[in-house]
Amino acid sequence: GAPSGGEKGKSAMPLPNVDMDVTANIGTLTTEKFEMKNVKGTMRIANGVITMNNLTMSMFDGTVASRGSINLQNPQRPTFTLNLDLNSLKANTALSMFTSFGQRLFGDLNMNIAISGALDDTLGLIPSSLNATGNMSVNNGKVQGVKVNQQIASLVSLPDLAELNFKDWVNAFSIADGRVKIPELKISALGGDYAIGGSHGLDGTNDLTMALLLSEAASAKVSVPGFANEVLNAIKEPNGRLKLDFLVGGTLNDPKVKLNSDALTARATNFAKSKLEEEKLKLQQKAEEEAKKKAEDLKKKGEDILKGIFKKK
């Protein structure tokens, strides 16, 4: 990457050409991109490679424990391979450095991640170089200023969904080719429970599916274009909650959100079929009960006739 600022050709961190073991106990360590406090642990420096055994530090109001190595042999493009444990970091501050979505996410972030990639000459991350697998959770947070949520709120006439306040956010993920791939992201929010899958680009592009199980209160007020309230009421779950599906494309700043009408129609059709089967079963049971009663009545009449014949004799 090109050097930032006015200092041309500024290198990342030239290392002495020696082998050494370092025990770190540093109050505050500042680079152009990060401020790290309470840095503790052991490192080995050899041939321009820093190998960390168990290095802990305070960053973004939380703690980070790291194992792995940083290769500074090419100061214009250092590379790294790390295993990181992040605990109670401020999601907005930490993630904003890596993805545009981080600027809109707030809460306490926990993450376990195996990650590799490259840095520019000021130790800034080069997003396209990232490869990672991991798990993350965010607690007691919110997502604000996201146009996807604003469009969903407008689509179903529920203004409260424009800002997402949540208790728990949990997902596994992988990063490759500039995209964060998400098998299933679950969010427990005030307005409903979200299940999201697909991928989100580090450049802000979306290719996501979203299933939203509205809260009972939101389900009572929702309005869905193309579906009568009677249909929506009919396909609500027994606890009064309605499930909606959305397809999310476009970019973070210019999303294309549409209701997955096919999924809703399929649910309505399945509901109608199940009701029809239920009615058929009821009619069948009624017919069987009536046939059984007729057979019993005939049998009783036959027995009465026989009794009458024998009495006469």
Side-chain angles (χ1 to χ4, degrees), residues 49-55 66-70 80-83:
V49 178
I50 303 172
T51 304
M52 291 164 285
N53 182 19
N54 189 27
L55 195 66
S66 60
R67 301 172 301 285
S69 62
I70 301 174
F80 61 90
T81 302
L82 300 169
N83 283 284

Side-chain angles (χ1 to χ4, degrees), residues 91-215:
N92 178 255
T93 320
L95 294 181
S96 290
M97 306 200 70
F98 310 119
T99 168
S100 53
F101 183 72
Q103 296 160 16
R104 298 162 173 85
L105 175 64
F106 298 81
D108 295 324
L109 169 69
N110 298 287
M111 187 185 299
N112 304 108
I113 183 171
I115 185 169
S116 62
L119 307 171
D120 63 23
D121 57 0
T122 65
L123 295 186
L125 182 69
I126 300 172
S128 60
S129 72
L130 265 186
N131 280 282
T133 56
N135 294 281
M136 70 175 273
S137 66
V138 187
N139 307 115
N140 303 316
K142 65 179 176 180
V143 175
Q144 66 178 29
V146 174
K147 290 185 180 176
V148 169
N149 291 17
Q150 292 165 359
Q151 286 192 18
I152 288 172
S154 175
L155 266 175
V156 296
S157 304
L158 290 172
D160 290 351
L161 297 183
E163 185 171 293
L164 180 59
N165 293 281
F166 61 88
K167 184 183 176 188
D168 297 302
W169 163 313
V170 182
N171 70 280
F173 65 91
S174 62
I175 303 173
D177 304 319
R179 298 197 72 77
V180 182
K181 294 170 187 173
I182 306 159
E184 186 177 42
L185 159 59
K186 291 185 175 180
I187 304 173
S188 299
L190 294 179
D193 297 317
Y194 295 74
I196 300 165
S199 70
H200 173 74
L202 298 177
D203 59 356
T205 55
N206 298 310
D207 182 11
L208 299 165
T209 59
M210 180 186 296
L212 169 56
L213 181 59
L214 291 168
S215 67

Side-chain angles (χ1 to χ4, degrees), residues 6-312:
E7 301 177 63
K8 238 180 174 182
K10 180 181 175 183
S11 65
M13 190 189 291
L15 291 175
N17 189 22
V18 292
D19 289 0
M20 58 197 296
D21 291 307
V22 178
T23 300
N25 192 350
I26 304 166
T28 302
L29 178 62
T30 305
T31 72
E32 189 167 327
K33 303 285 181 183
F34 304 105
E35 181 177 86
M36 297 161 270
K37 295 181 177 179
N38 305 316
V39 181
K40 293 176 183 175
T42 57
M43 295 179 289
R44 173 146 182 84
I45 302 172
N47 302 318
V49 178
I50 303 172
T51 304
M52 291 164 285
N53 182 19
N54 189 27
L55 195 66
T56 61
M57 63 196 74
S58 300
M59 292 175 72
F60 308 122
D61 295 332
T63 60
V64 178
S66 60
R67 301 172 301 285
S69 62
I70 301 174
N71 188 325
L72 295 161
Q73 289 169 343
N74 176 2
Q76 299 304 310
R77 190 182 169 92
T79 58
F80 61 90
T81 302
L82 300 169
N83 283 284
L84 303 173
D85 294 321
L86 286 57
N87 290 293
S88 298
L89 272 64
K90 294 302 174 195
N92 178 255
T93 320
L95 294 181
S96 290
M97 306 200 70
F98 310 119
T99 168
S100 53
F101 183 72
Q103 296 160 16
R104 298 162 173 85
L105 175 64
F106 298 81
D108 295 324
L109 169 69
N110 298 287
M111 187 185 299
N112 304 108
I113 183 171
I115 185 169
S116 62
L119 307 171
D120 63 23
D121 57 0
T122 65
L123 295 186
L125 182 69
I126 300 172
S128 60
S129 72
L130 265 186
N131 280 282
T133 56
N135 294 281
M136 70 175 273
S137 66
V138 187
N139 307 115
N140 303 316
K142 65 179 176 180
V143 175
Q144 66 178 29
V146 174
K147 290 185 180 176
V148 169
N149 291 17
Q150 292 165 359
Q151 286 192 18
I152 288 172
S154 175
L155 266 175
V156 296
S157 304
L158 290 172
D160 290 351
L161 297 183
E163 185 171 293
L164 180 59
N165 293 281
F166 61 88
K167 184 183 176 188
D168 297 302
W169 163 313
V170 182
N171 70 280
F173 65 91
S174 62
I175 303 173
D177 304 319
R179 298 197 72 77
V180 182
K181 294 170 187 173
I182 306 159
E184 186 177 42
L185 159 59
K186 291 185 175 180
I187 304 173
S188 299
L190 294 179
D193 297 317
Y194 295 74
I196 300 165
S199 70
H200 173 74
L202 298 177
D203 59 356
T205 55
N206 298 310
D207 182 11
L208 299 165
T209 59
M210 180 186 296
L212 169 56
L213 181 59
L214 291 168
S215 67
E216 192 177 350
S219 297
K221 296 185 288 185
V222 70
S223 173
V224 180
F227 291 87
N229 285 341
E230 291 81 3
V231 175
L232 297 179
N233 287 331
I235 60 174
K236 284 178 184 175
E237 299 200 351
N239 56 12
R241 300 179 71 180
L242 178 67
K243 185 181 178 187
L244 299 174
D245 294 275
F246 300 92
L247 301 171
V248 183
T251 65
L252 194 62
N253 292 322
D254 184 21
K256 309 295 179 200
V257 180
K258 65 176 185 177
L259 182 75
N260 189 345
S261 301
D262 291 346
L264 203 55
T265 301
R267 207 170 295 134
T269 305
N270 287 338
F271 175 80
K273 279 181 183 172
S274 68
K275 289 302 282 184
L276 192 62
E277 288 299 321
E278 206 176 288
E279 289 304 315
K280 275 170 68 178
L281 192 62
K282 279 181 186 172
L283 287 170
Q284 192 179 327
Q285 285 172 342
K286 190 177 177 186
E288 284 171 0
E289 281 168 12
E290 284 175 355
K292 190 179 174 185
K293 190 171 184 301
K294 277 180 184 174
E296 283 172 356
D297 288 347
L298 282 170
K299 187 182 174 187
K300 190 170 185 301
K301 277 180 185 173
E303 285 172 352
D304 289 346
I305 290 166
L306 283 172
K307 279 178 190 173
I309 291 168
F310 287 119
K311 273 182 185 172
K312 283 174 186 173

